[in-house]
Structure formats: structure tokens, C-alpha cells
Amino acid sequence: MNAFEQWQIRLSQLSNELYQLSVVHLQSTAAWRPAINAFRLPDHYLVCVDLAGMQKPDISVRVDARRLTISGHRPAPEPPRTDASPSPQVLAMEIDYGPFERTVEMPEPIQPEQVTAHYREGLLWIRLPLATHSSSPTPTEDHQP
């Protein structure tokens, strides 16, 4: 291996280390937002939240008469490491991790005490019964910071 190849390898390692440090810093201060699908049925709303890689205890669901908030913390999806293993070279880091929060405003009142949630295969399904039955558009995203 010539000096140029050694320099390229070391530069790649340093670049990887700097990227990992910046990702850790960014993820510790900025929340991400999981994707949702929302549906309106005759007597309830149904919201599906993409939370792959999470455990139930790490997910929080809060509801009031017109608002659904899902929050929690997803661990970084990284390969297992031991003290003897070298740091892996990061080729792509597209899966969001760290703290998250997502709020959805309901266009009509719901019954918070009747809300149910089921987490299966990385998807959180939340059933939000309507306080009254009427036809309305689907829920819209809360645009508050």
C-alpha cells in the first residue's frame, strides 16, 4: 500500500469520526417526526404511526378533546460493538433516531377516555372515538413549533 492509499484510508476514518460526532450532536438537540397515516371512519379516527425499532415503554401517547401527541425516544440503529471491534465506516445514516414528537389536531372533538392504541410490527395504531358523529375532513397536522 502506497502513501497515497494510506492517506485516503486515514482521511476516510477521520471523516467518519467527525460525521459520527456531528450526528450525535444534532440528534441530541433536534427532534424528528415519525410519519403518520390518518383516517376518518364513521364513528372514529384511526392514526397509524411509523415507529420501527422501538419498544412500547419508549412511546408516549397523550390525548385531549382535539389533540393527539405521540412522543418518545428511538435508539440509534447501529451495529453492535465491542471494545475489540473497530468503528464501522458510516456509508449512509438515513434512519432518524433520538427524541421525537408528533402532534395531530383533530377537526372535531374526540373521547380521550375511550382512546386505544396497539403497537405491532413497528406500527402504532391509535383509535380515537368521536365525541359526536358527523362527517368532517381528515385530521390536519399541528403547525406549532
Side-chain angles (χ1 to χ4, degrees):
M1 180 180 312
N2 66 33
F4 181 72
E5 289 171 329
Q6 290 175 344
W7 180 80
Q8 281 184 312
I9 290 170
R10 184 62 188 137
L11 183 60
S12 176
Q13 290 170 339
L14 287 172
S15 175
N16 181 47
E17 290 171 16
L18 288 172
Y19 179 77
Q20 286 178 339
L21 289 173
S22 69
V23 169
V24 169
H25 175 71
L26 288 174
Q27 290 297 329
S28 66
T29 59
W32 59 279
R33 295 167 18 118
I36 67 165
N37 289 345
F39 308 91
R40 167 72 157 79
L41 289 102
D43 63 345
H44 67 279
Y45 290 109
L46 188 60
V47 177
C48 179
V49 187
D50 183 359
L51 295 174
M54 297 198 59
Q55 302 295 319
K56 285 181 186 181
D58 299 325
I59 303 168
S60 172
V61 176
R62 297 183 314 273
V63 292
D64 62 30
R66 285 192 181 258
R67 183 178 297 183
L68 165 67
T69 301
I70 306 102
S71 60
H73 189 277
R74 179 162 61 187
E78 296 177 343
R81 292 186 55 191
T82 64
D83 291 338
S85 67
S87 294
Q89 179 182 8
V90 176
L91 301 177
M93 289 280 290
E94 296 179 357
I95 300 172
D96 292 318
Y97 63 94
F100 69 88
E101 183 169 283
R102 184 76 188 253
T103 299
V104 178
E105 292 287 332
M106 299 296 147
E108 57 194 305
I110 60 170
Q111 299 178 38
E113 67 281 353
Q114 300 290 322
V115 171
T116 58
H118 302 284
Y119 184 66
R120 189 181 75 226
E121 298 176 356
L123 299 174
L124 176 64
W125 290 91
I126 305 167
R127 186 178 188 278
L128 304 135
L130 295 169
T132 59
H133 303 305
S134 66
S135 58
S136 268
T138 57
T140 58
E141 175 117 4
D142 184 347
H143 295 292
Q144 297 177 347

XYZ file of all heavy atoms in Angstrom, residues 29-84:
437
model
N -30.115 17.308 20.109
C -30.776 18.595 20.298
C -32.011 18.773 19.427
O -32.829 19.624 19.710
C -29.798 19.749 19.988
O -29.349 19.632 18.642
C -28.610 19.729 20.925
N -32.156 18.013 18.370
C -33.278 18.211 17.458
C -34.162 16.972 17.429
O -33.675 15.862 17.306
C -32.754 18.518 16.055
N -35.456 17.168 17.559
C -36.392 16.060 17.499
C -36.753 15.765 16.047
O -36.762 16.655 15.210
C -37.647 16.393 18.302
N -37.043 14.529 15.760
C -37.508 14.135 14.442
C -39.005 13.861 14.531
O -39.573 13.818 15.612
C -36.739 12.920 13.932
C -36.833 11.695 14.789
C -36.121 11.433 15.926
C -37.694 10.580 14.584
N -36.476 10.220 16.439
C -37.454 9.671 15.631
C -38.640 10.239 13.632
C -38.115 8.453 15.761
C -39.298 9.036 13.747
C -39.035 8.157 14.794
N -39.644 13.699 13.396
C -41.090 13.499 13.358
C -41.408 12.212 12.600
O -41.118 12.118 11.417
C -41.763 14.680 12.667
C -41.612 15.970 13.434
C -42.006 17.192 12.625
N -42.820 16.929 11.475
C -44.051 17.403 11.299
N -44.579 18.195 12.179
N -44.727 17.103 10.212
N -42.007 11.232 13.281
C -42.353 9.991 12.589
C -43.476 10.225 11.572
O -44.321 11.105 11.748
C -42.814 9.061 13.712
C -43.243 9.971 14.809
C -42.390 11.208 14.689
N -43.475 9.428 10.524
C -44.525 9.506 9.505
C -45.829 8.938 10.065
O -45.819 8.022 10.896
C -44.104 8.718 8.270
N -46.943 9.516 9.614
C -48.260 9.025 10.035
C -49.168 8.839 8.818
O -48.961 9.449 7.771
C -48.958 9.987 11.025
C -49.314 11.311 10.345
C -48.137 10.196 12.279
C -50.300 12.162 11.130
N -50.168 8.003 9.003
C -51.324 7.913 8.110
C -52.533 8.148 9.010
O -52.602 7.585 10.114
C -51.443 6.534 7.455
C -50.363 6.282 6.427
O -49.685 7.200 5.986
N -50.197 5.032 6.053
N -53.481 8.973 8.587
C -54.666 9.264 9.385
C -55.913 9.006 8.552
O -55.968 9.363 7.374
C -54.633 10.712 9.868
N -56.909 8.379 9.190
C -58.138 8.001 8.505
C -59.354 8.458 9.316
O -59.316 8.427 10.538
C -58.214 6.472 8.336
C -56.994 5.881 7.701
C -55.921 5.435 8.475
C -56.886 5.782 6.321
C -54.793 4.881 7.896
C -55.760 5.234 5.725
C -54.714 4.785 6.513
N -60.417 8.831 8.629
C -61.702 9.190 9.271
C -62.688 8.095 8.939
O -62.915 7.800 7.773
C -62.163 10.552 8.740
C -63.607 10.955 9.051
C -63.788 11.299 10.501
N -64.909 12.149 10.814
C -66.181 11.757 10.901
N -66.541 10.535 10.573
N -67.111 12.618 11.289
N -63.246 7.472 9.953
C -64.286 6.463 9.786
C -65.579 7.052 10.360
O -65.550 8.125 10.969
C -63.876 5.167 10.487
C -62.735 4.468 9.726
C -61.421 4.710 10.398
C -63.034 3.023 9.542
N -66.717 6.377 10.189
C -67.982 6.982 10.634
C -68.019 7.400 12.112
O -68.562 8.448 12.436
C -69.017 5.880 10.362
C -68.429 5.095 9.246
C -66.935 5.112 9.483
N -67.399 6.609 12.994
C -67.505 6.938 14.424
C -66.160 7.163 15.119
O -66.106 7.325 16.332
C -68.281 5.844 15.158
C -67.576 4.502 15.118
O -66.643 4.333 14.307
O -67.954 3.612 15.908
N -65.047 7.166 14.356
C -63.741 7.379 14.983
C -62.683 7.749 13.942
O -62.891 7.587 12.742
C -63.298 6.132 15.759
C -62.995 4.937 14.901
N -63.971 4.111 14.404
C -61.823 4.431 14.457
C -63.415 3.144 13.696
N -62.098 3.320 13.700
N -61.561 8.259 14.460
C -60.366 8.461 13.646
C -59.447 7.288 13.923
O -59.458 6.706 15.018
C -59.633 9.754 14.028
C -60.363 11.004 13.656
C -60.943 11.802 14.627
C -60.461 11.395 12.322
C -61.615 12.954 14.277
C -61.131 12.551 11.972
C -61.712 13.327 12.962
O -62.371 14.461 12.600
N -58.612 6.965 12.944
C -57.609 5.927 13.105
C -56.297 6.514 12.602
O -56.210 6.969 11.470
C -57.993 4.676 12.304
C -57.146 3.437 12.522
C -57.188 2.992 13.987
C -57.635 2.312 11.621
N -55.291 6.527 13.484
C -53.991 7.090 13.140
C -52.949 5.990 13.260
O -52.892 5.279 14.271
C -53.627 8.277 14.069
C -52.233 8.804 13.752
C -54.662 9.385 13.939
N -52.132 5.837 12.222
C -51.046 4.867 12.203
C -49.727 5.641 12.212
O -49.529 6.541 11.394
C -51.139 3.992 10.951
S -49.818 2.785 10.823
N -48.825 5.294 13.142
C -47.555 5.990 13.292
C -46.418 4.999 13.049
O -46.380 3.923 13.638
C -47.416 6.598 14.712
C -46.179 7.467 14.809
C -48.664 7.367 15.105
N -45.482 5.367 12.173
C -44.333 4.517 11.841
C -43.256 4.697 12.910
O -42.575 5.721 12.948
C -43.800 4.905 10.462
C -42.651 4.018 10.002
O -42.240 3.113 10.754
O -42.165 4.244 8.881
N -43.102 3.687 13.777
C -42.132 3.746 14.872
C -41.277 2.476 14.915
O -41.090 1.861 15.965
C -42.852 3.948 16.213
C -43.596 5.269 16.366
C -44.385 5.300 17.665
C -42.625 6.434 16.302
N -40.741 2.098 13.775
C -39.915 0.891 13.689
C -38.732 0.960 14.649
O -38.157 2.018 14.856
C -39.413 0.710 12.255
N -38.414 -0.181 15.228
C -37.243 -0.284 16.089
C -37.457 0.186 17.508
O -36.503 0.288 18.273
N -38.701 0.457 17.895
C -38.968 0.961 19.246
C -39.623 -0.111 20.103
O -40.191 -1.067 19.597
C -39.848 2.202 19.180
C -39.168 3.339 18.456
S -39.908 4.925 18.789
C -39.758 5.055 20.559
N -39.543 0.098 21.408
C -40.220 -0.745 22.382
C -41.392 0.049 22.966
O -41.318 1.277 23.080
C -39.258 -1.140 23.507
C -38.021 -1.881 23.028
C -38.361 -3.227 22.432
O -39.198 -3.950 22.949
N -37.729 -3.558 21.313
N -42.464 -0.637 23.363
C -43.654 0.040 23.897
C -43.340 1.027 25.024
O -43.880 2.131 25.039
C -44.676 -0.985 24.393
C -45.414 -1.686 23.295
C -46.414 -2.661 23.914
C -47.067 -3.501 22.854
N -48.052 -4.433 23.425
N -42.466 0.674 25.986
C -42.208 1.609 27.089
C -41.564 2.934 26.648
O -41.599 3.913 27.392
C -41.248 0.846 28.014
C -41.415 -0.591 27.650
C -41.796 -0.621 26.199
N -41.003 2.965 25.443
C -40.340 4.179 24.956
C -41.275 5.093 24.177
O -40.827 6.094 23.607
C -39.145 3.798 24.073
C -38.105 2.997 24.839
O -37.912 3.275 26.037
O -37.497 2.086 24.245
N -42.568 4.757 24.131
C -43.550 5.523 23.371
C -44.586 6.106 24.327
O -45.102 5.407 25.195
C -44.263 4.632 22.336
C -43.244 3.970 21.396
C -45.302 5.434 21.554
C -43.829 2.858 20.538
N -44.893 7.388 24.146
C -45.905 8.055 24.952
C -47.010 8.597 24.045
O -46.718 9.190 23.003
C -45.261 9.216 25.732
O -46.259 9.983 26.367
N -48.260 8.376 24.441
C -49.413 8.894 23.707
C -50.235 9.753 24.664
O -50.618 9.299 25.739
C -50.292 7.737 23.148
C -51.539 8.290 22.466
C -49.492 6.865 22.200
N -50.470 11.014 24.254
C -51.297 11.936 25.043
C -52.440 12.429 24.167
O -52.231 12.738 22.998
C -50.481 13.128 25.538
C -49.354 12.752 26.483
C -48.586 13.966 27.023
N -48.224 14.972 26.046
C -47.126 14.968 25.308
N -46.271 13.979 25.391
N -46.861 15.949 24.474
N -53.628 12.495 24.752
C -54.784 12.994 24.010
C -55.597 13.933 24.883
O -55.613 13.822 26.102
C -55.702 11.844 23.514
C -55.022 11.019 22.459
C -56.167 10.973 24.653
N -56.228 14.887 24.220
C -57.255 15.690 24.874
C -58.421 15.751 23.903
O -58.463 14.975 22.951
C -56.730 17.064 25.309
C -56.258 17.937 24.166
O -56.782 17.813 23.044
O -55.348 18.752 24.375
N -59.346 16.653 24.101
C -60.566 16.673 23.298
C -60.343 16.833 21.799
O -61.142 16.389 20.990
C -61.507 17.766 23.800
N -59.240 17.461 21.381
C -58.996 17.684 19.952
C -57.547 17.468 19.509
O -57.200 17.807 18.388
C -59.396 19.111 19.566
C -60.873 19.320 19.471
C -61.136 20.659 18.807
N -62.533 20.913 18.705
C -63.234 20.773 17.585
N -62.665 20.377 16.489
N -64.520 21.036 17.572
N -56.709 16.928 20.358
C -55.288 16.817 20.018
C -54.731 15.453 20.412
O -54.966 14.960 21.499
C -54.517 17.908 20.735
C -53.044 17.930 20.392
C -52.329 19.056 21.074
N -52.891 20.295 20.569
C -52.479 21.496 20.900
N -51.490 21.634 21.753
N -53.031 22.570 20.392
N -53.917 14.910 19.500
C -53.187 13.666 19.734
C -51.699 13.991 19.648
O -51.256 14.604 18.677
C -53.545 12.631 18.663
C -52.624 11.409 18.533
C -52.716 10.528 19.772
C -52.971 10.622 17.272
N -50.930 13.612 20.672
C -49.484 13.829 20.660
C -48.791 12.509 20.952
O -49.081 11.854 21.950
C -49.062 14.893 21.693
O -49.736 16.112 21.397
C -47.559 15.126 21.662
N -47.888 12.128 20.063
C -47.086 10.921 20.221
C -45.643 11.384 20.407
O -45.139 12.195 19.630
C -47.171 10.013 18.974
C -48.627 9.696 18.621
C -46.399 8.724 19.190
C -49.130 10.494 17.481
N -44.971 10.879 21.439
C -43.587 11.270 21.674
C -42.809 10.076 22.207
O -43.376 9.057 22.554
C -43.515 12.453 22.653
O -44.094 12.086 23.891
N -41.495 10.243 22.255
C -40.649 9.183 22.776
C -39.208 9.369 22.358
O -38.788 10.468 21.990
N -38.476 8.277 22.403
C -37.058 8.301 22.064
C -36.706 6.985 21.383
O -36.925 5.911 21.952
C -36.217 8.472 23.332
C -34.773 8.708 23.043
N -33.896 7.672 22.792
C -34.050 9.837 22.953
C -32.695 8.176 22.568
N -32.764 9.487 22.657
N -36.185 7.062 20.151
C -35.755 5.853 19.429
C -34.237 5.781 19.493
O -33.548 6.746 19.162
C -36.230 5.886 17.978
C -35.772 4.649 17.208
C -36.528 4.387 15.936
N -36.434 5.454 14.963
C -37.139 5.481 13.831
N -37.992 4.508 13.564
N -37.014 6.471 12.992
N -33.688 4.602 19.886
C -32.234 4.460 19.929
C -31.638 4.469 18.520
O -32.307 4.152 17.542
C -32.024 3.110 20.606
C -33.291 2.361 20.390
C -34.387 3.389 20.288
N -30.385 4.827 18.442
C -29.688 4.853 17.160
C -29.563 3.431 16.614
O -29.109 2.536 17.321
C -28.302 5.472 17.321
N -29.971 3.211 15.367
C -29.825 1.885 14.765
C -28.405 1.694 14.239
O -28.075 2.109 13.136
C -30.860 1.901 13.633
C -30.998 3.350 13.280
C -30.694 4.136 14.521
N -27.563 1.113 15.075
C -26.152 0.909 14.728
C -25.773 -0.537 14.978
O -26.389 -1.202 15.807
C -25.270 1.822 15.577
C -25.505 3.298 15.332
C -24.664 4.182 16.243
O -24.152 3.680 17.267
O -24.525 5.360 15.919
N -24.745 -1.003 14.300
C -24.310 -2.384 14.547
C -23.765 -2.527 15.963
O -23.216 -1.567 16.522
C -23.216 -2.613 13.502
C -22.776 -1.259 13.067
C -23.921 -0.326 13.313
N -23.920 -3.715 16.558
C -23.359 -3.928 17.897
C -21.849 -3.778 17.875
O -21.211 -4.132 16.895
C -23.773 -5.355 18.251
C -24.362 -5.949 17.027
C -24.568 -4.881 16.010
N -21.318 -3.226 18.959
C -19.863 -3.013 19.037
C -19.321 -3.615 20.313
O -19.991 -3.657 21.333
C -19.550 -1.519 19.018
C -19.865 -0.881 17.677
C -19.436 0.542 17.610
N -18.033 0.680 17.932
C -17.439 1.832 18.155
N -18.138 2.946 18.091
N -16.157 1.900 18.441
N -18.076 -4.027 20.239
C -17.340 -4.481 21.412
C -16.085 -3.630 21.504
O -15.738 -2.912 20.557
C -16.952 -5.972 21.301
O -16.049 -6.120 20.203
C -18.178 -6.849 21.087
N -15.405 -3.719 22.621
C -14.167 -2.952 22.785
C -13.118 -3.353 21.747
O -12.300 -2.540 21.343
C -13.599 -3.146 24.190
C -14.473 -2.488 25.241
O -15.240 -1.567 24.878
O -14.410 -2.900 26.410
N -13.179 -4.613 21.297
C -12.186 -5.106 20.345
C -12.536 -4.775 18.888
O -11.677 -4.817 18.023
C -12.041 -6.616 20.491
